[in-house]
Amino acid sequence: MKQSTTTGRSKGRKTGSAASAQHRTGGRQASARESDSPRGNLNPSRGNDTRSRNTSSSGRTAAGSDTADHNGTHQETKSESSSFTGETHLEKFFLAQLKDIYYAEKKILQSLPKMQEATTTEELKDAFEDHLHQTQRHVKRLEKVFDLLSQRNEGEKCEAIEGIAREVENIINETEAGTLTRDAALIIAAQKVEHYEIATYGGLVQLAITMNLHEAADLLDKTLVEEEDTDARLTEIAENDINLRAEHEDLQGWAAGETEEINSAKE
């Protein structure tokens, strides 16, 4: 099994992706104190680039910024809660997507320890451990969004994440422990998760802005930044080392049964 790049992206595109993320921040380098206070400046009239973003959010602890996010001003919290009825078609869809990603985050909390235990390289183990802590914060942020909207914290089964979780199990079962082939395959599975989350959180942020749920948009946007950072980190780990080393393992990285099946197909 040959793994060239994790997502088919070249290093040039990876650099461009980082530049794009910087562009979306509007070039702002806010202090941690500024980014953690309720901003309320996610104004839909200013377009996508007005989303108040802080690319350093992945370095914050769960007890730091998110406490400030949740405290906010009582007036703004009350306003968002009272303005959201959950009765319009768009509000129902928004709430359904919140429940979907809430279920997904909970499922990811179950899968990440298995992925971490199965990996070979310390660098990838550390990346999975860091994302586990991030995911715990993501769950708490979602619960704050539910609270802002006066809705109960509950998830609805996410078939996409269930499918990727099954894929992770298959990867672990079909690859040899201690191989870089397994690490390369786990990175791809992890990035499938990240891309699903990026798409979901990106859409939720824009819907929240449209519905003038600015504090909710701010919370969701912080998670979006962290998901993008994690995706970029996984790409870097794969392209700098793991994929190249996995290539030289040839078919040895796959379990004996899988290798025999591939050899039989060749014959």
Side-chain angles (χ1 to χ4, degrees):
M1 174 180 172
K2 295 176 67 176
Q3 303 289 335
S4 56
T5 61
T6 307
T7 60
R9 290 177 293 183
S10 66
K11 292 184 181 294
R13 181 172 178 181
K14 179 180 64 178
T15 304
S17 176
S20 176
Q22 177 64 25
H23 171 70
R24 288 198 302 276
T25 67
R28 290 187 292 272
Q29 296 296 327
S31 67
R33 176 177 58 81
E34 291 171 337
S35 65
D36 290 340
S37 61
R39 292 190 285 271
N41 59 353
L42 295 172
N43 189 336
S45 65
R46 294 171 58 193
N48 291 345
D49 288 346
T50 63
R51 289 160 38 194
S52 182
R53 305 280 293 273
N54 185 343
T55 55
S56 65
S57 61
S58 57
R60 294 195 298 267
T61 63
S65 64
D66 293 340
T67 299
D69 291 333
H70 187 46
N71 288 340
T73 61
H74 177 69
Q75 182 178 359
E76 182 175 5
T77 301
K78 183 178 180 181
S79 175
E80 294 201 4
S81 174
S82 60
S83 65
F84 186 90
T85 64
E87 296 299 325
T88 70
H89 292 307
L90 189 60
E91 288 176 339
K92 288 179 180 178
F93 177 75
F94 181 79
L95 189 57
Q97 291 302 300
L98 277 180
K99 293 178 179 180
D100 177 276
I101 198 64
Y102 186 65
Y103 179 99
E105 295 285 22
K106 290 288 193 70
K107 187 69 178 182
I108 294 166
L109 286 177
Q110 298 174 13
S111 296
L112 278 171
K114 299 176 185 178
M115 297 171 71
Q116 183 184 11
E117 183 179 357
T119 57
T120 300
T121 60
E122 288 301 319
E123 188 175 16
L124 188 55
K125 285 182 184 291
D126 290 343
F128 285 153
E129 182 177 3
D130 289 345
H131 194 55
L132 176 64
H133 297 316
Q134 275 189 346
T135 303
Q136 291 168 343
R137 296 203 300 272
H138 298 171
V139 169
K140 291 180 180 179
R141 284 192 191 132
L142 285 171
E143 290 172 350
K144 292 171 185 176
V145 173
F146 281 117
D147 185 55
L148 281 171
L149 305 179
S150 296
Q151 300 293 322
R152 187 174 66 178
N153 302 334
E154 60 180 354
E156 290 183 357
K157 188 174 183 179
C158 175
E159 295 293 348
I161 291 300
E162 287 288 345
I164 297 174
R166 288 192 295 271
E167 183 174 334
V168 168
E169 297 286 350
N170 291 338
I171 287 171
I172 294 173
N173 292 333
E174 294 173 359
T175 55
E176 293 286 353
T179 63
L180 276 300
T181 300
R182 173 179 283 187
D183 280 18
L186 285 174
I187 288 176
I188 291 176
Q191 289 196 291
K192 288 181 181 181
V193 173
E194 292 307 314
H195 293 181
Y196 180 80
E197 291 182 299
I198 288 168
T200 302
Y201 280 111
L204 285 172
V205 168
Q206 293 305 314
L207 287 177
I209 292 172
T210 299
M211 294 184 291
N212 293 318
L213 303 174
H214 300 306
E215 191 174 354
D218 191 26
L219 288 167
L220 295 166
D221 192 61
K222 283 180 170 62
T223 296
L224 174 60
V225 170
E226 291 181 357
E227 302 293 6
E228 290 172 338
D229 289 346
T230 296
D231 181 54
R233 180 181 180 184
L234 290 171
T235 295
E236 184 176 2
I237 291 173
E239 293 182 352
N240 286 350
D241 184 36
I242 289 177
N243 284 355
L244 294 175
R245 291 168 61 190
E247 184 178 22
H248 296 294
E249 290 177 339
D250 197 14
L251 296 177
Q252 297 175 8
W254 294 95
E258 184 73 11
T259 302
E260 291 174 4
E261 182 178 334
I262 294 174
N263 288 336
S264 297
K266 287 183 177 181
E267 294 173 0

